[in-house]
Amino acid sequence: MTRAGANLTLTTSRALVLDFVRSAGPISRVELATLTGLTPATMTNVMRQLLTDGLVVEVGRDLSTGGKPRVLLDINPTARFAVGIQLGADSLTYVVTNLGGAIVGRLRTRGAEDSPPVAVISRMAGRAKQLIEDLGIDGQAVIGVGLAAPGSMDLDKGVLLAPPTLGQWSEYPLRDELEAAIGLPVLLDNDGTTSAVGEFWGGDVPDASTMCAVYLGAGIGAGILIGGTVFRGASSNVGELGQMWMTAPHSGAAPDTLERVAGPAGVAAAVRRALDAGAESSLELGGTDPIADFTLIATAALLGDPVAVAAITHSAQDLAEAVLIAANLFDLDFVVLAGPSVAIAGSMYVEIVQKRLDEGFFAKRRHGIEVRLSTHATDAAAVGAAALVLQHQLAPRSFGS
Amino acid sequence: MTRAGANLTLTTSRALVLDFVRSAGPISRVELATLTGLTPATMTNVMRQLLTDGLVVEVGRDLSTGGKPRVLLDINPTARFAVGIQLGADSLTYVVTNLGGAIVGRLRTRGAEDSPPVAVISRMAGRAKQLIEDLGIDGQAVIGVGLAAPGSMDLDKGVLLAPPTLGQWSEYPLRDELEAAIGLPVLLDNDGTTSAVGEFWGGDVPDASTMCAVYLGAGIGAGILIGGTVFRGASSNVGELGQMWMTAPHSGAAPDTLERVAGPAGVAAAVRRALDAGAESSLELGGTDPIADFTLIATAALLGDPVAVAAITHSAQDLAEAVLIAANLFDLDFVVLAGPSVAIAGSMYVEIVQKRLDEGFFAKRRHGIEVRLSTHATDAAAVGAAALVLQHQLAPRSFGS
DNA sequence: CTCGCTTAATAAAGTGCCCAAAGAAAGCCG
DNA sequence: CGGCTTTCTTTGGGCACTTTATTAAGCGAG
């Protein structure tokens, strides 16, 4: 609980500059100096370090404005790489990203399901190392592994706590075991949080924004970023949108949590009820796997099937209510929707959530609030996990104690 | 939007140490050094400044642990003072606090009502100066004025935006006018936020906590503090609990916002409906002023009147649902209830909210969450406004950009 | 009571980051 | 080609903090 009173700036100037280079594309030293508030002299020194480390490269020169033209600098994307792994019961997603947060390699395998953790861990380590090798990446350039998981967790210990779909993993020393198996630093975090970081690091999110990334998978979680810094609350179990009790204003149904009402299983169940009641629809659900059913429904919704459209619309409206509440509590100005559930009919979700916020957002007299689809949709959590590693190692940020 | 890359630590070490002295009571240099992470040598230097400024004083010595006994240091409460003013339509509360955040003077007058802002401003300046003089406080020791107001505001400009009960004040240059009239720096902020800061500065809130102060006045707003730092979101319009749409699970009523359902007016209306329906009760409501009615109801509830108990219970249950949502989104570990509405029946509110959180809080496996009544109840916002000035001037904190 | 031991606090010297100002480099323009 | 503008780098100094060394203040054994 001790706070670093000293040499906080040591790493921070580098981090600050690197972050601006990353986000502001090719940029000159002069501009960086004014943006960061550092003097040109300091800029020279900091930049020299970044250049010798290979993190930044000169990429050309600007037009002259009457004197010596500015040298443009940009991130050297291939200087470092990070691995992102998303752990799920139904699937494991592996991603390798470069320094810019762009995907350079990708792999999806069957999930953790009922396999014992030990086996899954060694499988993960093997697959990740294989992927790096296949891509022809120098192992030295890989700085770490990010691991995204759903539900509640203890980040200090690096363990999951009673994950609903990964029962065996509760309290299992996930992070430490993977670290040992793979020989790289491992960072565990929530899928909502990693999605948010991924969007910030890779996308064009304004640096000063207060953003929320909603991850819609089997569950519904959210990560919050304040000016690019992860908001962690008391124990990093932040953004539990899915646990919110809804009374589904339009459906008239009994109160239930957002996750159960608006998640894939809830949508599938609603459609099944409608079909059983004889609704007109071309849909035929398998009935065994709610995720597969949801995919069918989302696709049908895009094609205009009325039952599917109604189900997706209701799901999005429920989500919109929850997001509105979060927006009013956090005073957000940016919302990103991510995860497999918005991979197909994401545009419908975005439109409905945006509309609700435009109507009901409390601070709308002060500023707008933009809703956007994640640039990585299904892979958002894995890509974000990799970005989390990049941010943590190269541009560490924190606030609070 | 430039970030200070440099001399951020200059003021910060002093601030850090002062903050620990304030919160950890009489404490030695050695302990401070380990708490802050500074070396004993630095501690000596920082402390020398604080001592010469008079902010801290030596108050004795600890028992020896085998060597030279530690010198104990503590805040010098009378070194500085701050003024806190709460602006309301129905009342104006003035408070003067010392450096420790304790009230040393207090005054309540009629509210802003329909008076033109210019008149109210000059009245405020006059009353505040009079209060300082009456207390025999040296004007030099007063470092500023904090101003708490309800609703949406633009802190950069120092104006209120469309306040429901203070129509004339919308866009009026409140902060600047008061600053000019009173000749002291003025800090404007939301009543929820100031309440939170007041509780943190004056009370014994753990330094690392993620806390939320819910201010229950005519409206319902909340301020959020992360490790003692105000969480501001995109535009400081954070914590809008009152705008949350409720469906009042137990009441069966139509959806309405928390503010209207669970606020004083909502409670008064509910009781009136019950009485009209012939419920058994000793209550007699005036009917003109919902605040006065609410006070009667809260008092009756404490005495066991069934209609009053039911109304207050419902109000608290609605509030509890909203607080639970906020707790799950922010991963809180501390909730403070403040404001006139909890001045009387606060214990009932605390109990019901605490119970709901114990049941439904998502991260309860990780850590507890404590609900507490504000130490200042009705005056919380004004006391907090003064504390905000103290914190801002003496121990500035911030995160984000 | 005094000498040795322990812990607290201060002093002095050194390190590292940043800034300010002056100088060097690189292009425009007559 | 030399003045001019703008960019970038070098140099010297300041400041906060650290490390190392010294002084201060109490305890306890003989």
Side-chain angles (χ1 to χ4, degrees):
Chain A
M1 212 49 59
T2 64
R3 292 195 239 180
N7 68 352
L8 218 152
T9 35
L10 192 150
T11 162
T12 286
S13 258
R14 274 180 57 121
L16 190 65
V17 173
L18 184 63
D19 201 59
F20 272 106
V21 174
R22 176 193 63 70
S23 64
I27 186 171
S28 67
R29 287 182 179 78
V30 201
E31 291 169 280
L32 283 170
T34 58
L35 278 173
T36 57
L38 300 170
T39 59
T42 306
M43 204 59 234
T44 292
N45 292 320
V46 172
M47 189 53 76
R48 190 185 355 254
Q49 294 176 44
L50 293 174
L51 287 168
T52 54
D53 284 1
L55 296 173
V56 173
V57 284
E58 303 194 341
V59 295
R61 39 191 52 196
D62 216 340
L63 292 176
S64 167
T65 57
K68 174 174 174 176
R70 305 172 174 183
V71 175
L72 293 178
L73 303 139
D74 206 349
I75 280 277
N76 179 10
T78 59
R80 301 284 191 284
F81 297 88
V83 179
I85 306 179
Q86 180 179 20
L87 176 63
D90 49 323
S91 76
L92 284 172
T93 305
Y94 302 77
V95 152
V96 177
T97 75
N98 63 24
L99 189 49
I103 301 182
V104 298
R106 190 177 165 289
L107 175 69
R108 172 164 299 181
T109 69
R110 66 191 167 81
E113 283 148 337
D114 302 327
S115 317
V118 208
V120 177
I121 294 269
S122 83
R123 216 174 79 204
M124 281 165 71
R127 292 293 170 96
K129 279 191 277 200
Q130 187 63 48
L131 182 57
I132 293 169
E133 199 173 306
D134 292 351
L135 292 165
I137 293 172
D138 174 20
Q140 293 295 314
V142 181
I143 61 172
V145 178
L147 185 55
S152 172
M153 52 190 72
D154 184 331
L155 298 193
D156 295 327
K157 295 188 198 155
V159 304
L160 307 185
L161 299 173
T165 53
L166 294 164
Q168 292 188 73
W169 294 77
S170 188
E171 306 276 357
Y172 182 85
L174 175 52
R175 182 195 53 203
D176 295 346
E177 291 296 317
L178 182 59
E179 207 156 65
I182 206 165
L184 282 168
V186 174
L187 232 54
L188 172 67
D189 219 318
N190 183 277
D191 48 16
T193 300
T194 65
S195 297
V197 175
E199 209 62 30
F200 180 78
W201 189 268
D204 52 347
V205 176
D207 223 56
S209 65
T210 304
M211 86 173 242
C212 171
V214 183
Y215 187 86
L216 298 129
I220 298 179
I224 285 110
L225 244 57
I226 314 301
T229 306
V230 176
F231 174 79
R232 296 206 169 277
S235 69
S236 293
N237 287 292
V238 142
E240 281 301 332
L241 279 181
Q243 305 301 314
M244 210 179 278
W245 284 91
M246 307 291 291
T247 326
H250 33 267
S251 75
D256 206 342
T257 62
L258 175 68
E259 203 159 282
R260 289 194 290 257
V261 170
V267 172
V271 167
R272 206 166 300 121
R273 279 197 305 275
L275 295 182
D276 288 349
E280 191 73 29
S281 167
S282 61
L283 273 169
E284 278 189 46
L285 301 185
T288 50
D289 179 8
I291 306 280
D293 283 349
F294 179 84
T295 306
L296 289 176
I297 296 166
T299 311
L302 283 187
L303 298 173
D305 180 275
V307 171
V309 167
I312 296 290
T313 301
H314 282 176
S315 162
Q317 284 172 336
D318 284 331
L319 178 68
E321 291 302 322
V323 170
L324 174 60
I325 287 175
N328 280 337
L329 289 179
F330 284 99
D331 191 15
L332 301 174
D333 56 13
F334 220 86
V335 175
V336 173
L337 303 184
S341 296
V342 289
I344 299 171
S347 54
M348 291 180 65
Y349 279 89
V350 168
E351 189 188 335
I352 289 169
V353 173
Q354 178 78 64
K355 180 148 168 283
R356 184 70 184 102
L357 291 177
D358 289 342
E359 282 168 24
F361 182 49
F362 179 72
K364 64 185 169 192
R365 286 176 58 105
R366 284 298 315 278
H367 58 89
I369 175 165
E370 183 182 341
V371 183
R372 190 189 280 185
L373 261 190
S374 164
T375 35
H376 302 295
T378 308
D379 297 330
V383 172
L388 187 71
V389 174
L390 294 170
Q391 190 185 66
H392 181 82
Q393 307 250 10
L394 303 174
R397 303 152 162 262
S398 75
F399 47 56
S401 62
Chain B
M1 211 47 63
T2 64
R3 293 194 238 179
N7 67 353
L8 217 152
T9 34
L10 191 149
T11 162
T12 285
S13 258
R14 275 180 55 121
L16 190 65
V17 173
L18 183 63
D19 200 60
F20 272 106
V21 173
R22 175 194 61 72
S23 65
I27 187 171
S28 67
R29 287 181 180 80
V30 197
E31 291 170 281
L32 283 169
T34 58
L35 279 173
T36 58
L38 301 170
T39 58
T42 305
M43 205 57 236
T44 292
N45 291 320
V46 172
M47 189 52 76
R48 185 177 8 247
Q49 293 176 45
L50 293 174
L51 287 169
T52 54
D53 285 0
L55 295 173
V56 173
V57 284
E58 302 194 342
V59 294
R61 39 192 51 198
D62 215 341
L63 292 176
S64 166
T65 57
K68 173 174 173 176
R70 305 171 174 184
V71 175
L72 293 178
L73 303 139
D74 207 350
I75 278 279
N76 180 10
T78 59
R80 301 284 191 283
F81 297 89
V83 179
I85 306 179
Q86 179 178 21
L87 175 62
D90 48 324
S91 75
L92 285 172
T93 305
Y94 303 76
V95 152
V96 177
T97 76
N98 64 22
L99 188 49
I103 301 181
V104 298
R106 191 177 166 287
L107 176 67
R108 171 165 300 181
T109 70
R110 66 190 167 84
E113 285 150 335
D114 303 327
S115 316
V118 206
V120 177
I121 294 270
S122 83
R123 214 174 80 204
M124 280 164 71
R127 292 292 171 98
K129 279 192 276 199
Q130 188 62 48
L131 183 56
I132 293 169
E133 198 173 306
D134 291 352
L135 292 165
I137 293 172
D138 175 20
Q140 293 295 315
V142 181
I143 60 172
V145 178
L147 185 54
S152 173
M153 51 191 73
D154 183 332
L155 298 192
D156 295 328
K157 295 189 198 153
V159 304
L160 306 185
L161 299 173
T165 53
L166 293 165
Q168 291 188 73
W169 295 77
S170 189
E171 307 275 358
Y172 182 84
L174 174 53
R175 183 196 52 204
D176 295 347
E177 291 297 318
L178 182 59
E179 207 156 65
I182 208 167
L184 281 169
V186 173
L187 231 54
L188 171 67
D189 219 318
N190 183 276
D191 48 15
T193 300
T194 64
S195 297
V197 175
E199 208 62 29
F200 179 77
W201 190 269
D204 52 346
V205 177
D207 222 55
S209 65
T210 303
M211 87 171 241
C212 171
V214 184
Y215 187 85
L216 299 128
I220 298 179
I224 285 108
L225 244 58
I226 314 301
T229 307
V230 176
F231 174 78
R232 297 207 169 275
S235 68
S236 294
N237 286 291
V238 142
E240 280 302 333
L241 279 181
Q243 305 301 314
M244 210 180 279
W245 284 90
M246 307 290 293
T247 325
H250 34 267
S251 74
D256 205 342
T257 63
L258 176 68
E259 204 159 280
R260 289 193 290 257
V261 171
V267 172
V271 166
R272 207 167 300 121
R273 278 197 304 275
L275 294 181
D276 288 350
E280 191 73 29
S281 169
S282 61
L283 273 167
E284 278 188 46
L285 300 185
T288 50
D289 179 8
I291 307 279
D293 283 350
F294 180 83
T295 306
L296 289 176
I297 296 166
T299 311
L302 282 187
L303 297 173
D305 180 275
V307 170
V309 168
I312 295 289
T313 302
H314 283 174
S315 162
Q317 285 172 336
D318 285 331
L319 178 68
E321 291 302 321
V323 170
L324 174 60
I325 287 175
N328 280 338
L329 288 180
F330 285 99
D331 191 14
L332 301 174
D333 57 12
F334 220 85
V335 175
V336 173
L337 304 184
S341 295
V342 290
I344 299 170
S347 55
M348 292 180 65
Y349 279 89
V350 168
E351 190 188 337
I352 288 169
V353 173
Q354 178 78 63
K355 181 149 166 281
R356 183 70 183 102
L357 291 177
D358 289 344
E359 281 166 25
F361 182 49
F362 179 72
K364 63 184 170 191
R365 286 176 59 104
R366 283 298 313 282
H367 58 89
I369 175 165
E370 184 181 342
V371 184
R372 191 189 280 185
L373 261 189
S374 164
T375 36
H376 302 295
T378 308
D379 297 329
V383 172
L388 188 70
V389 174
L390 295 170
Q391 188 185 66
H392 182 82
Q393 308 249 11
L394 303 174
R397 303 153 162 260
S398 74
F399 46 57
S401 63

